[in-house]
Amino acid sequence: MISDETAYRRYLDGEPKAADLLVEKYGDALTLYINGYLKDIHEAEDLMIEAFSRIFAKERPITGTGSFKAYLYKTARNLAFRYKKKHRLGFVHFDELDFEPRSDMLADTELYRSERSRQLYDALEKLKAEYREALYLVYFEDMSYRNAATVMKKSEEQITKLVYRGKQRLKAILEQEGFTYADD
């Protein structure tokens, strides 16, 4: 399998099928990520398409972001912020945004079907928005701390702290709700 950056370079070199690989790989997950902001799956799909369109239309090498995936998610995040601001006619407060797809959006996925996963998603919804987004990007999207920092416009050190504190808070929430660990 070729890397994202190689696929993007191939697209820039005139191979349109390379763009299809990237859309196939990230389209659904990116839509769910955007939907965490908007709570409107149809608008999220539109913004996912717009995020890819903007990247493909620019046709310039991705630099300073760490990876194609980080650049894509950062673009989508910015589009979601603009959309929210435009449709609210006011300032978008960071704590009001919900970054994790709601539990009912994940009902059809294999992961969500187990009781443990349901407990995890319910607990994630109770986290502070910044913790939830950092954990989502690092653990659900498999981004490095550097790439998550790029997406969230924070330093790696800030992401490290958000992930650490988020995991500590998540553990406390799960324990309060009687979550039992597999190793027990």
Side-chain angles (χ1 to χ4, degrees), residues 94-157:
F94 191 77
D95 290 335
E96 295 173 8
L97 299 176
D98 194 7
F99 298 99
E100 174 64 22
R102 290 187 358 239
S103 299
D104 59 350
M105 292 300 300
L106 299 171
D108 293 332
T109 66
E110 195 63 35
L111 179 66
Y112 187 71
R113 289 185 184 142
S114 75
E115 178 64 18
R116 289 186 178 286
S117 295
R118 185 193 59 75
Q119 288 175 312
L120 176 62
Y121 282 105
D122 288 347
L124 279 168
E125 289 180 12
K126 295 176 183 175
L127 287 177
K128 185 176 161 184
E130 283 186 308
Y131 295 161
R132 185 172 46 251
E133 183 177 19
L135 290 171
Y136 180 80
L137 292 172
V138 170
Y139 292 104
F140 290 83
E141 292 299 329
D142 293 322
M143 284 191 187
S144 67
Y145 283 35
R146 173 177 286 155
N147 288 341
T150 298
V151 172
M152 292 180 68
K153 298 180 182 173
K154 301 207 176 282
S155 70
E156 280 186 68
E157 183 178 334

Side-chain angles (χ1 to χ4, degrees), residues 116 179-184:
R116 289 186 178 286
F179 184 83
T180 54
Y181 299 95
D183 296 339
D184 291 347

Side-chain angles (χ1 to χ4, degrees), residues 14-26:
E15 189 179 323
K17 293 280 186 201
D20 295 342
L21 292 172
L22 294 168
V23 173
E24 241 178 77
K25 184 173 181 179
Y26 293 118

